[in-house]
Amino acid sequence: MGQLNTSVIGYPRIGYNREWKKALEQYWGGKTSSAQLETELNRIEAERLTTLVDAKLSYVPVQDYTWYDHVLDTAVMFDIIPERFRHEFADQLDTLKSSQSDAAGTPQAIIDVTFGMARGTAQSTACEMTKWFNTNYHYIVPEWEGRAPELLYNHPVAAVRRAKQAGSVDVSVWKPVLVGPYTFVRLMKGIAAADRAAVAKQFAVVYGEVLVALAAEGVTNVQLDEPGFVLPMNKEEWVAVKEIYTYLRAQSPSLSIWVQTYFESVSDYESFVELPVDVLGLDLVHGKARNLEAIQKLGFPADKRIALGVIDGRNIWKTDLAAVTELLTQYVKPQVPAERWIVQPSCSLLHVPLTLSSETELPEYVRTILTGADEKLVELELLAQHLANPTADTEAGIAASAQAVAEWRSLPERNRPQVKEELLRIQSSEEAWTRVPFSERLALHQARWSNLPLLPTTSIGSLPQTAEVRKARLKFRKGEWSEAAYTAYLQAEMKRWIDIQEQIGIDVLVHGEFERTDMVEYFGEKLEGFVFTKNGWVQSYGSRCVKPPVLYGDVAFVEAMTVVETEYAQSLTSKPVKGMLTGPVTILNWSFVRDDISREEAAYQLSWALRQEIQALEEAGIGMIQVDEPAVKEGMPLHPDDKQGYREWTVKAFRLTTSGVKPETQVHTHMCYCDFSDMVDLIREMDADVISVETARSGGDIVEVFAKHQYELGIGLGVYDIHSPRIPATAEMASFIESVLQVMPARTFWINPDCGLKTRNEQETIAALSNMVKAAQQAREHLTTKNT
Ligand code: GLN
Ligand code: ZN
């Protein structure tokens, strides 16, 4: 065979040194002009194009790049601009629409509207952002206001023109990438499920215009991303999808149209393969079993090519290329000959760091098993060579990858038999997973904290992380400060804030989490089983990047992680101080996790370690312990058949973490920024004595949800949004509390902000918490007058 086709779905945007982030932030900070911004962003775009071309891919994505977010770009491209921005930028948009100019450079109107929608302006609130499927990438949520779409600015054509300017490559290898019409509509806000099919059809014409224009640029391939196809869809939607693609096919006969799915198996394989397009892309890493089964059972159309996602685009471990070779030859080849394959990573490489080859400070045995985007490109090239023309060299390369993965599995440095044994031992012990019934615990808690008023006030854990706090931590980390100096600083800060909280009149205090850079990293650094990269950044939203911890081995508790600070804070006050931990599922969902054991097992290992921390806190006399689980919802599998299993093991992981405590210890948990409507049963099963949830930011809808489910355990509803510098008035919070008490019993009700306060400044925090305490007092008075 001559050559095996390869491609990638997308590639990181941020540049090797996060230059992308810097360029954007300088521009937003008013330090550079839009021309300077454009020059720098185009330079990064050209650089990544060169990397991809040098990787000898058969097809190279263009326009998977963006200045902020690809969903936002799609919205602007099709004039799905919310009325508030349309109004604010009316003059600029009018000029843009009336000018026929084809001038190079992104029009200022497009730049302003794009950043306006993403970040908000003085006049208009930003569009919401939310997680892109089950990843930690956040997209800007387009808002459907019923206006017919129009092609306002052809982003892909602009990208192709820039690529022409930057490189000498043959246009026939370029593959502009667009969010597909169904997925775009599926992710939009303001469309009832029943109307989705009809709205999607309204987009056929504008997508057609883009494709026609691309064909006119000499482009021969275009990729339409439809990860929406992995979600449950009804027949009517599939009919609409077929209609749209039939139209697009007819509009651009010279284009090879690719429809790409990822993150899970396609929800209706039969309908999918019937689409009148040229290339169909399937994820054979996430959703592998179901996709392979469908290919085997139902075959694959002879007139289409198949894009096979075989290298994990979402995780950072080296691929066993021998296993991939076998998978392809055994399961795919009998149905589709290799001439019709395109081999690629499972999804855009945007979800992994650009490279991990320069993490020289990591132990050799970890470093060599890590792969960032660039290392995955190398794997892909070797795989393709081997599949097309195996030689002794490729054979050796493939065997080496299999051997490296096998050795990694059994490496003593990451296997802790004792942890596995302990977990096996407790599997069968009922006690390890359950506490005495809530009603019994509640009586003990009421006796233990008989001083607590009705509607006790508290906060979620972190207090303002000022520049000074961050500087202190940095000095300690760099060795400029001794441990003693750093401890003294932390103690002073804790003392100051314990005093402030007492003055404000809060009932249950927190130590403030000043010692933590990040709620996951802090624990990862203290537990065995994690490593941290220096430069393993991935985009989270807009210019914001995160550096997820790497969970590479069996987890073990080494020594107490939070006791010193909590104990110190408690020594300063007679009021209860809550201990603060990050829960097992959140640690898991915000890390890169080993893939040689199940996530469930990895979660239990974390639970077991955290359980020992809780025990240490209890021994130090801490009576209330909060285990935060803000990331439970986002780890929910996309496929309906997998959801129940996930629910079960996340509940078990929480219970394993917390059920070792004495009945008189009060367990708290916290969750935020997700749709709670289908979470109440799960939360109840977690069996925490008190859950604090974010309420204010999401408009209080959640109150009804909890009221409807007659939630009987303790609950703290967030009474103000912590993302805004705005100081909520007492009356506003009081009336919110009143309205909640109409539908929920006061008996187990707590009062708190929506989430941690680390991003707020001191002044705002004091003012807001003071008003919150006053609002609670008013509500209490009201309750007593009502009852007398
Ligand atoms: N305890 C953490 C804090 O207060 C919780 C943060 C979160 O929910 N993301 O910062
Ligand atoms: Zn939170």
PDB file of all heavy atoms in Angstrom, residues 205-225:
ATOM      1  N   VAL A 205     -28.664  27.109   4.810  1.00  0.00           N
ATOM      2  CA  VAL A 205     -28.279  28.066   3.769  1.00  0.00           C
ATOM      3  C   VAL A 205     -26.954  28.762   4.094  1.00  0.00           C
ATOM      4  O   VAL A 205     -26.056  28.842   3.257  1.00  0.00           O
ATOM      5  CB  VAL A 205     -29.407  29.091   3.534  1.00  0.00           C
ATOM      6  CG1 VAL A 205     -28.942  30.203   2.610  1.00  0.00           C
ATOM      7  CG2 VAL A 205     -30.630  28.381   2.950  1.00  0.00           C
ATOM      8  N   VAL A 206     -26.807  29.244   5.332  1.00  0.00           N
ATOM      9  CA  VAL A 206     -25.569  29.967   5.660  1.00  0.00           C
ATOM     10  C   VAL A 206     -24.353  29.040   5.658  1.00  0.00           C
ATOM     11  O   VAL A 206     -23.267  29.424   5.222  1.00  0.00           O
ATOM     12  CB  VAL A 206     -25.656  30.745   6.996  1.00  0.00           C
ATOM     13  CG1 VAL A 206     -26.425  32.029   6.799  1.00  0.00           C
ATOM     14  CG2 VAL A 206     -26.241  29.915   8.128  1.00  0.00           C
ATOM     15  N   TYR A 207     -24.542  27.817   6.126  1.00  0.00           N
ATOM     16  CA  TYR A 207     -23.430  26.864   6.044  1.00  0.00           C
ATOM     17  C   TYR A 207     -23.083  26.615   4.578  1.00  0.00           C
ATOM     18  O   TYR A 207     -21.913  26.537   4.204  1.00  0.00           O
ATOM     19  CB  TYR A 207     -23.777  25.546   6.747  1.00  0.00           C
ATOM     20  CG  TYR A 207     -23.411  25.528   8.223  1.00  0.00           C
ATOM     21  CD1 TYR A 207     -24.322  25.909   9.198  1.00  0.00           C
ATOM     22  CD2 TYR A 207     -22.132  25.140   8.636  1.00  0.00           C
ATOM     23  CE1 TYR A 207     -23.983  25.894  10.544  1.00  0.00           C
ATOM     24  CE2 TYR A 207     -21.779  25.128   9.979  1.00  0.00           C
ATOM     25  CZ  TYR A 207     -22.709  25.499  10.932  1.00  0.00           C
ATOM     26  OH  TYR A 207     -22.367  25.489  12.258  1.00  0.00           O
ATOM     27  N   GLY A 208     -24.121  26.503   3.757  1.00  0.00           N
ATOM     28  CA  GLY A 208     -23.894  26.300   2.326  1.00  0.00           C
ATOM     29  C   GLY A 208     -23.057  27.434   1.741  1.00  0.00           C
ATOM     30  O   GLY A 208     -22.114  27.201   0.978  1.00  0.00           O
ATOM     31  N   GLU A 209     -23.364  28.649   2.130  1.00  0.00           N
ATOM     32  CA  GLU A 209     -22.603  29.804   1.621  1.00  0.00           C
ATOM     33  C   GLU A 209     -21.128  29.706   2.002  1.00  0.00           C
ATOM     34  O   GLU A 209     -20.243  30.016   1.208  1.00  0.00           O
ATOM     35  CB  GLU A 209     -23.186  31.112   2.186  1.00  0.00           C
ATOM     36  CG  GLU A 209     -24.473  31.545   1.492  1.00  0.00           C
ATOM     37  CD  GLU A 209     -25.143  32.719   2.215  1.00  0.00           C
ATOM     38  OE1 GLU A 209     -24.431  33.570   2.784  1.00  0.00           O
ATOM     39  OE2 GLU A 209     -26.388  32.756   2.209  1.00  0.00           O
ATOM     40  N   VAL A 210     -20.877  29.269   3.247  1.00  0.00           N
ATOM     41  CA  VAL A 210     -19.481  29.140   3.684  1.00  0.00           C
ATOM     42  C   VAL A 210     -18.764  28.086   2.836  1.00  0.00           C
ATOM     43  O   VAL A 210     -17.645  28.308   2.360  1.00  0.00           O
ATOM     44  CB  VAL A 210     -19.410  28.767   5.182  1.00  0.00           C
ATOM     45  CG1 VAL A 210     -17.975  28.467   5.603  1.00  0.00           C
ATOM     46  CG2 VAL A 210     -19.982  29.889   6.040  1.00  0.00           C
ATOM     47  N   LEU A 211     -19.416  26.968   2.626  1.00  0.00           N
ATOM     48  CA  LEU A 211     -18.769  25.898   1.861  1.00  0.00           C
ATOM     49  C   LEU A 211     -18.492  26.333   0.418  1.00  0.00           C
ATOM     50  O   LEU A 211     -17.424  26.060  -0.132  1.00  0.00           O
ATOM     51  CB  LEU A 211     -19.613  24.618   1.879  1.00  0.00           C
ATOM     52  CG  LEU A 211     -19.876  23.974   3.246  1.00  0.00           C
ATOM     53  CD1 LEU A 211     -20.325  22.526   3.085  1.00  0.00           C
ATOM     54  CD2 LEU A 211     -18.672  24.018   4.167  1.00  0.00           C
ATOM     55  N   VAL A 212     -19.443  27.007  -0.179  1.00  0.00           N
ATOM     56  CA  VAL A 212     -19.252  27.485  -1.555  1.00  0.00           C
ATOM     57  C   VAL A 212     -18.049  28.429  -1.620  1.00  0.00           C
ATOM     58  O   VAL A 212     -17.194  28.326  -2.502  1.00  0.00           O
ATOM     59  CB  VAL A 212     -20.544  28.171  -2.070  1.00  0.00           C
ATOM     60  CG1 VAL A 212     -20.282  28.910  -3.371  1.00  0.00           C
ATOM     61  CG2 VAL A 212     -21.663  27.142  -2.248  1.00  0.00           C
ATOM     62  N   ALA A 213     -17.964  29.312  -0.649  1.00  0.00           N
ATOM     63  CA  ALA A 213     -16.846  30.265  -0.640  1.00  0.00           C
ATOM     64  C   ALA A 213     -15.519  29.542  -0.431  1.00  0.00           C
ATOM     65  O   ALA A 213     -14.498  29.914  -1.004  1.00  0.00           O
ATOM     66  CB  ALA A 213     -17.074  31.312   0.451  1.00  0.00           C
ATOM     67  N   LEU A 214     -15.535  28.506   0.399  1.00  0.00           N
ATOM     68  CA  LEU A 214     -14.302  27.743   0.616  1.00  0.00           C
ATOM     69  C   LEU A 214     -13.876  27.029  -0.660  1.00  0.00           C
ATOM     70  O   LEU A 214     -12.696  27.025  -1.023  1.00  0.00           O
ATOM     71  CB  LEU A 214     -14.501  26.717   1.739  1.00  0.00           C
ATOM     72  CG  LEU A 214     -14.460  27.281   3.162  1.00  0.00           C
ATOM     73  CD1 LEU A 214     -14.900  26.228   4.168  1.00  0.00           C
ATOM     74  CD2 LEU A 214     -13.061  27.792   3.501  1.00  0.00           C
ATOM     75  N   ALA A 215     -14.854  26.455  -1.358  1.00  0.00           N
ATOM     76  CA  ALA A 215     -14.537  25.771  -2.612  1.00  0.00           C
ATOM     77  C   ALA A 215     -13.932  26.770  -3.593  1.00  0.00           C
ATOM     78  O   ALA A 215     -12.974  26.465  -4.305  1.00  0.00           O
ATOM     79  CB  ALA A 215     -15.791  25.122  -3.176  1.00  0.00           C
ATOM     80  N   ALA A 216     -14.455  27.986  -3.588  1.00  0.00           N
ATOM     81  CA  ALA A 216     -13.932  29.019  -4.493  1.00  0.00           C
ATOM     82  C   ALA A 216     -12.486  29.390  -4.158  1.00  0.00           C
ATOM     83  O   ALA A 216     -11.743  29.870  -5.009  1.00  0.00           O
ATOM     84  CB  ALA A 216     -14.825  30.263  -4.432  1.00  0.00           C
ATOM     85  N   GLU A 217     -12.081  29.157  -2.917  1.00  0.00           N
ATOM     86  CA  GLU A 217     -10.682  29.416  -2.521  1.00  0.00           C
ATOM     87  C   GLU A 217      -9.764  28.272  -2.938  1.00  0.00           C
ATOM     88  O   GLU A 217      -8.567  28.301  -2.667  1.00  0.00           O
ATOM     89  CB  GLU A 217     -10.580  29.586  -1.002  1.00  0.00           C
ATOM     90  CG  GLU A 217     -11.199  30.866  -0.460  1.00  0.00           C
ATOM     91  CD  GLU A 217     -10.410  32.121  -0.845  1.00  0.00           C
ATOM     92  OE1 GLU A 217      -9.165  32.041  -0.928  1.00  0.00           O
ATOM     93  OE2 GLU A 217     -11.047  33.161  -1.081  1.00  0.00           O
ATOM     94  N   GLY A 218     -10.353  27.221  -3.518  1.00  0.00           N
ATOM     95  CA  GLY A 218      -9.536  26.086  -3.949  1.00  0.00           C
ATOM     96  C   GLY A 218      -9.455  24.981  -2.907  1.00  0.00           C
ATOM     97  O   GLY A 218      -8.765  23.972  -3.096  1.00  0.00           O
ATOM     98  N   VAL A 219     -10.174  25.163  -1.802  1.00  0.00           N
ATOM     99  CA  VAL A 219     -10.175  24.144  -0.757  1.00  0.00           C
ATOM    100  C   VAL A 219     -10.925  22.912  -1.260  1.00  0.00           C
ATOM    101  O   VAL A 219     -11.919  23.044  -1.979  1.00  0.00           O
ATOM    102  CB  VAL A 219     -10.875  24.724   0.491  1.00  0.00           C
ATOM    103  CG1 VAL A 219     -11.254  23.639   1.474  1.00  0.00           C
ATOM    104  CG2 VAL A 219      -9.994  25.775   1.150  1.00  0.00           C
ATOM    105  N   THR A 220     -10.439  21.707  -0.878  1.00  0.00           N
ATOM    106  CA  THR A 220     -11.132  20.501  -1.330  1.00  0.00           C
ATOM    107  C   THR A 220     -11.695  19.646  -0.198  1.00  0.00           C
ATOM    108  O   THR A 220     -12.421  18.688  -0.442  1.00  0.00           O
ATOM    109  CB  THR A 220     -10.215  19.632  -2.206  1.00  0.00           C
ATOM    110  OG1 THR A 220      -8.975  19.465  -1.508  1.00  0.00           O
ATOM    111  CG2 THR A 220      -9.953  20.278  -3.547  1.00  0.00           C
ATOM    112  N   ASN A 221     -11.301  19.975   1.034  1.00  0.00           N
ATOM    113  CA  ASN A 221     -11.827  19.210   2.178  1.00  0.00           C
ATOM    114  C   ASN A 221     -12.347  20.170   3.225  1.00  0.00           C
ATOM    115  O   ASN A 221     -11.742  21.206   3.475  1.00  0.00           O
ATOM    116  CB  ASN A 221     -10.717  18.382   2.824  1.00  0.00           C
ATOM    117  CG  ASN A 221     -10.257  17.269   1.923  1.00  0.00           C
ATOM    118  OD1 ASN A 221     -10.884  16.218   1.856  1.00  0.00           O
ATOM    119  ND2 ASN A 221      -9.173  17.523   1.192  1.00  0.00           N
ATOM    120  N   VAL A 222     -13.423  19.794   3.877  1.00  0.00           N
ATOM    121  CA  VAL A 222     -13.891  20.607   5.001  1.00  0.00           C
ATOM    122  C   VAL A 222     -14.432  19.675   6.082  1.00  0.00           C
ATOM    123  O   VAL A 222     -15.082  18.666   5.784  1.00  0.00           O
ATOM    124  CB  VAL A 222     -14.947  21.645   4.550  1.00  0.00           C
ATOM    125  CG1 VAL A 222     -16.196  20.972   4.007  1.00  0.00           C
ATOM    126  CG2 VAL A 222     -15.327  22.567   5.694  1.00  0.00           C
ATOM    127  N   GLN A 223     -14.095  19.991   7.322  1.00  0.00           N
ATOM    128  CA  GLN A 223     -14.518  19.143   8.441  1.00  0.00           C
ATOM    129  C   GLN A 223     -15.610  19.849   9.237  1.00  0.00           C
ATOM    130  O   GLN A 223     -15.413  20.961   9.721  1.00  0.00           O
ATOM    131  CB  GLN A 223     -13.312  18.854   9.334  1.00  0.00           C
ATOM    132  CG  GLN A 223     -13.619  18.161  10.654  1.00  0.00           C
ATOM    133  CD  GLN A 223     -12.365  18.027  11.519  1.00  0.00           C
ATOM    134  OE1 GLN A 223     -11.285  17.714  11.026  1.00  0.00           O
ATOM    135  NE2 GLN A 223     -12.500  18.272  12.812  1.00  0.00           N
ATOM    136  N   LEU A 224     -16.735  19.191   9.371  1.00  0.00           N
ATOM    137  CA  LEU A 224     -17.814  19.724  10.198  1.00  0.00           C
ATOM    138  C   LEU A 224     -17.882  18.879  11.464  1.00  0.00           C
ATOM    139  O   LEU A 224     -18.131  17.677  11.400  1.00  0.00           O
ATOM    140  CB  LEU A 224     -19.133  19.683   9.425  1.00  0.00           C
ATOM    141  CG  LEU A 224     -19.131  20.645   8.234  1.00  0.00           C
ATOM    142  CD1 LEU A 224     -20.051  20.177   7.126  1.00  0.00           C
ATOM    143  CD2 LEU A 224     -19.525  22.042   8.669  1.00  0.00           C
ATOM    144  N   ASP A 225     -17.614  19.506  12.588  1.00  0.00           N
ATOM    145  CA  ASP A 225     -17.587  18.780  13.855  1.00  0.00           C
ATOM    146  C   ASP A 225     -18.999  18.617  14.384  1.00  0.00           C
ATOM    147  O   ASP A 225     -19.688  19.605  14.618  1.00  0.00           O
ATOM    148  CB  ASP A 225     -16.754  19.553  14.890  1.00  0.00           C
ATOM    149  CG  ASP A 225     -15.267  19.337  14.680  1.00  0.00           C
ATOM    150  OD1 ASP A 225     -14.900  18.548  13.786  1.00  0.00           O
ATOM    151  OD2 ASP A 225     -14.472  19.962  15.421  1.00  0.00           O
TER     152      ASP A 225
END
